[in-house]
Amino acid sequence: MEDIEDLFAGGAGGAPPGFRLPLNAVGVNPKRNASKRSVSKQKDEVTTDSNRDSLAPPSMKIPGTQTIYIKTFGCSHNQSDSEYMAGQLTAFGYGLTEVPEDADLWLINTCTVKSPSQSAMSTLITRGRSGKKPLVIAGCVPQGSRDLKELEGVSVVGVQQIDRVVEIVEETLKGHEVRLLNRKTLPALDLPKVRRNNFIEILPINVGCLGACTYCKTKHARGHLGSYTVESLVERVRTVISEGVKEIWLSSEDTGAYGRDIGVNLPILLNAIVKELPSDQSTMLRIGMTNPPFILEHLKEIAAVLRHPCVYTFLHVPVQSGSDAVLTVSSKLCRTVKILFESHLKISLVAGHEQEYTSGEFRTVVDTLTELVPGMQIATDIICGFPGETDEDFSQTVGLIKDYKFAQVHISQFYPRPGTPAAKMKKVQSKIVKQRSRELTCVFEAFAPYTGMEGKEERIWITEIATDGVHLVGHTKGYIQVLVNGPESILGTSAIARITSVGRWSVFGEVIETLSSTNVATKVREEKKPPCTSDVSTCETWACSAESCCGEGKSGEACDVSGDITKQDHKTEGKSKKIEEEKQEVVSHWGFVDKALVCGVFVSSLTILVLMISIASRAFLRQ
């Protein structure tokens, strides 16, 4: 059959967001006929039935009046996709519920990274079928494993078809099975969105990656790199700031690879975004996960952005193993990929060769960022028990973690994912994998990364309610989690907090002062920005942007823009110095006339004093 996009008038462009296809334009299967097809042989985007007259009668309910339950597994990119789908559904009148039993349809957004996530999906699908709930399955599992048995008889929406979710839900509620999987264009960024947290915008900057990691199933689902343009992302940033968002998370499968398919790079995007961030630091930017190879090429530029006062000094850089032997097998990456567009013809040119990154390159990333960015916090990932991992390989991984004492390490046991090269490799014994995972966890948990913070005052950005339902969650500029007590009215604000105690995973604090846009702006104006030189220490205590501090030509590489405007003692000391300098400046600018007048006053005073002494002496002698 034809691809569904060809069924539209105008073809390749697809339907506008939320457009509802007429039933005779959508290939669907009544659920009663679902058993007659072989899913594994379906290559088309939509399951079809040759007998259109056999379609089930539509539901008696008016479309758009039903309630939807959305369950999301996996990464922040998946969360953003769910928020976009929720936004479109509510825009068409559908209600959302967090109680599965109250819903008329379940929308399950899946993750294929680990076996437990996919198992949880399967369990939820079984539960939905038992409850006779219409099901729509989205995300990486159906996109990367189309012939999965669990997906038989349910509707499916692909990762790049989220702008068609309304159509799929409507047809599914009518009793039809719909599948939309194939597409070569990215969903628009300006679709309606219902954020899980009103103060946090998860902004996907690209989909897919340039990697060829032997253990990764996500590449099967998300595909090759596809980047949004700088202009579209900047426009989205402007929009969400106007909507009151206080944190923007840049999300993708590999942030560092951004733009290599459209002739730009990550520093270009970051510099364009930080220009849009409010000068009062009311909205902060968090840069997403990036693999070591691509960030290596732009370390100084990215360090300059991380020093910007509106950017969290935090980065997630997965290493997976401290052994180069393991990395050689597990992480092969294409170093350079260039995609050229001429007219409407897309030409892909791959230059260079596949080359893995090394633990040494990872160390270079960590060492450089730690040196150039004050307060830098780095999180990483480790896979225990990758096929072929020896005791010596594991020992090198333990040594790497001990050397850096990372505050955040995500430790996973190796899970063979069907269809990946690593799934066919000889596995390490399960008991050894579990033992190594426990050992590394013990090593990691022995660190006390936040010791010494007690009594310090930090500026924090408060955006969430803690899972205990009592505390509010704020983050320092280094993205250290600070739990504070306070009314929910301070959500979405920044504040000065004094750290009262520290734990292994977070710290506790008390709010001293909440910062409004007005008083922050006043404090910024009170700061006097010195000129920047090639010496990083010259401006490290001042709130200056990369451009204002170093000029456009230097891109902020040589200056530190991590100024802390909350240090009251520094501000007071600065004011006192300023007053003394002004006094000295007044004295140094006295002219000849000023000096003559002062001398005249002095001589006159001296003459009067002599006369008074003389008169007093004469009066004494007469007596």
Side-chain angles (χ1 to χ4, degrees):
M1 65 164 279
E2 318 110 300
D3 187 271
I4 192 170
E5 305 299 346
D6 296 330
L7 298 177
F8 287 106
F19 177 79
R20 304 184 181 194
L21 259 108
L23 187 58
N24 59 5
V26 181
V28 294
N29 252 355
K31 287 191 174 180
R32 64 190 183 197
N33 294 331
S35 60
K36 296 182 179 180
R37 65 182 178 85
S38 174
V39 180
S40 61
K41 296 181 180 180
Q42 291 294 333
K43 297 181 180 180
D44 298 315
E45 184 175 7
V46 182
T47 305
T48 62
D49 192 300
S50 58
N51 184 7
R52 296 293 178 92
D53 295 332
S54 66
L55 294 175
S59 170
M60 296 301 293
K61 285 189 176 181
I62 300 173
T65 62
Q66 294 89 342
T67 303
I68 312 297
Y69 167 69
I70 301 178
K71 175 64 177 178
T72 305
F73 295 95
C75 64
S76 61
H77 197 159
N78 260 21
Q79 182 61 49
S80 177
D81 286 350
S82 290
E83 292 176 352
Y84 272 124
M85 289 189 285
Q88 294 169 86
L89 290 168
T90 56
F92 275 95
Y94 288 96
L96 301 178
T97 180
E98 295 186 1
V99 181
E101 290 73 22
D102 294 346
D104 297 299
L105 177 142
W106 290 5
L107 171 57
I108 306 171
N109 197 358
T110 62
C111 173
T112 190
V113 172
K114 298 179 182 179
S115 298
S117 296
Q118 188 163 326
S119 297
M121 173 211 74
S122 300
T123 300
L124 195 58
I125 290 176
T126 301
R127 179 182 165 193
R129 282 176 168 148
S130 299
K132 301 188 182 303
K133 299 291 185 180
L135 299 174
V136 175
I137 312 301
C140 293
V141 171
Q143 190 74 61
S145 304
R146 304 186 184 194
D147 58 349
L148 204 62
K149 184 177 181 180
E150 290 91 329
L151 300 178
E152 292 185 11
V154 300
S155 293
V156 170
V157 54
V159 294
Q160 293 187 31
Q161 295 279 20
I162 60 173
D163 55 353
R164 305 282 295 282
V165 67
V166 173
E167 304 162 40
I168 295 175
V169 165
E170 288 193 353
E171 294 302 325
T172 303
L173 285 168
K174 294 175 183 177
H176 303 147
E177 178 188 341
V178 185
R179 293 194 165 216
L180 295 177
L181 289 169
N182 297 332
R183 191 176 185 179
K184 297 180 180 180
T185 57
L186 300 177
L189 292 171
D190 59 355
L191 295 170
K193 197 171 192 180
V194 174
R195 300 184 188 91
R196 185 176 181 182
N197 185 323
N198 290 331
F199 301 113
I200 298 176
E201 166 71 8
I202 304 172
L203 179 59
I205 62 174
N206 55 265
V207 299
C209 66
L210 297 177
C213 298
T214 57
Y215 58 86
C216 183
K217 183 75 172 178
T218 306
K219 180 68 175 281
H220 295 200
R222 296 284 183 178
H224 294 288
L225 182 68
S227 302
Y228 287 97
T229 65
V230 173
E231 294 75 16
S232 64
L233 291 167
V234 168
E235 181 58 34
R236 181 65 183 172
V237 167
R238 292 194 192 105
T239 299
V240 301
I241 290 175
S242 69
E243 293 172 351
V245 162
K246 301 304 178 184
E247 282 187 7
I248 299 174
W249 298 358
L250 301 187
S251 178
S252 78
E253 283 63 60
D254 186 357
T255 303
Y258 169 79
R260 291 169 180 263
D261 55 326
I262 56 175
V264 293
N265 58 41
L266 182 60
I268 291 174
L269 173 65
L270 295 178
N271 284 317
I273 288 177
V274 296
K275 290 179 181 178
E276 304 298 328
L277 301 178
S279 60
D280 62 5
Q281 298 169 254
S282 57
T283 300
M284 296 293 287
L285 179 70
R286 194 185 84 172
I287 303 174
M289 185 272 289
T290 177
N291 288 310
F294 299 119
I295 194 177
L296 270 170
E297 302 176 26
H298 307 290
L299 276 180
K300 289 185 177 180
E301 295 93 330
I302 291 175
V305 173
L306 288 166
R307 292 194 300 263
H308 191 282
C310 297
V311 180
Y312 286 121
T313 53
F314 168 84
L315 202 60
H316 179 192
V317 186
V319 63
Q320 309 300 2
S321 174
S323 166
D324 288 345
V326 173
L327 291 176
T328 298
V329 178
S330 67
S331 303
K332 291 184 177 295
L333 297 170
C334 296
R335 284 297 180 102
T336 54
V337 176
K338 183 179 181 182
I339 296 183
L340 304 176
F341 290 90
E342 295 181 0
S343 301
H344 298 289
L345 181 63
K346 178 180 179 181
I347 306 173
S348 301
L349 301 177
V350 180
H353 60 283
E354 289 191 353
Q355 182 178 357
E356 70 281 359
Y357 65 87
T358 66
S359 61
E361 289 177 323
F362 173 78
R363 288 175 181 268
T364 297
V365 171
V366 177
D367 292 342
T368 303
L369 292 180
T370 302
E371 177 185 358
L372 296 181
V373 185
M376 185 70 201
Q377 297 284 320
I378 292 178
T380 193
D381 298 347
I382 296 292
I383 298 176
C384 288
F386 190 85
E389 182 186 65
T390 65
D391 289 340
E392 175 59 26
D393 294 328
F394 178 68
S395 177
Q396 292 176 21
T397 298
V398 173
L400 177 70
I401 300 304
K402 285 183 176 180
D403 287 345
Y404 288 100
K405 294 181 172 59
F406 297 107
Q408 296 184 41
V409 179
H410 309 123
I411 302 171
S412 299
Q413 297 177 32
F414 171 74
Y415 291 101
R417 304 302 293 130
T420 63
K424 301 177 182 178
M425 299 177 184
K426 185 177 180 180
K427 299 175 181 60
V428 179
Q429 291 183 21
S430 177
K431 65 178 182 179
I432 295 178
V433 175
K434 292 179 180 179
Q435 177 186 342
R436 290 174 181 172
S437 177
R438 286 193 297 267
E439 180 181 341
L440 188 60
T441 300
C442 289
V443 169
F444 165 62
E445 291 183 350
F447 305 148
Y450 306 130
T451 300
M453 289 188 67
E454 298 95 329
K456 289 188 176 181
E457 293 182 8
E458 298 275 354
R459 182 174 182 179
I460 62 173
W461 287 262
I462 305 170
T463 56
E464 302 174 70
I465 300 175
T467 54
D468 62 9
V470 176
H471 293 89
L472 302 181
V473 179
H475 290 94
T476 67
K477 192 174 187 299
Y479 211 68
I480 297 171
Q481 182 173 269
V482 183
L483 302 179
V484 297
N485 288 308
E488 292 187 17
S489 59
I490 65 173
L491 284 170
T493 68
S494 65
I496 305 300
R498 181 183 293 112
I499 307 304
T500 56
S501 63
V502 301
R504 176 59 186 85
W505 314 106
S506 58
V507 302
F508 293 84
E510 59 180 3
V511 174
I512 299 174
E513 175 190 6
T514 56
L515 301 177
S516 65
S517 299
T518 303
N519 60 26
V520 171
T522 301
K523 291 179 181 179
V524 171
R525 286 196 298 269
E526 287 175 353
E527 296 288 358
K528 181 179 179 181
K529 298 180 183 179
C532 285
T533 66
S534 59
D535 184 3
V536 172
S537 63
T538 304
C539 62
E540 69 177 8
T541 61
W542 305 95
C544 56
S545 67
E547 294 178 352
S548 64
C549 196
C550 296
E552 186 175 351
K554 294 183 181 178
S555 299
E557 293 180 17
C559 87
D560 188 326
V561 292
S562 62
D564 185 355
I565 63 174
T566 67
K567 302 293 185 182
Q568 300 297 323
D569 53 343
H570 287 182
K571 185 180 74 173
T572 303
E573 181 182 350
K575 284 185 176 180
S576 300
K577 289 182 178 180
K578 184 176 180 181
I579 292 172
E580 291 297 326
E581 290 171 358
E582 289 175 351
K583 289 180 178 179
Q584 295 175 6
E585 186 177 358
V586 170
V587 174
S588 65
H589 284 83
W590 279 359
F592 174 79
V593 176
D594 298 316
K595 294 177 181 179
L597 289 172
V598 171
C599 290
V601 171
F602 177 79
V603 171
S604 299
S605 300
L606 185 59
T607 302
I608 293 172
L609 180 61
V610 171
L611 287 173
M612 291 178 66
I613 293 173
S614 177
I615 293 171
S617 298
R618 290 177 182 179
F620 180 80
L621 291 174
R622 287 176 183 175
Q623 293 178 358

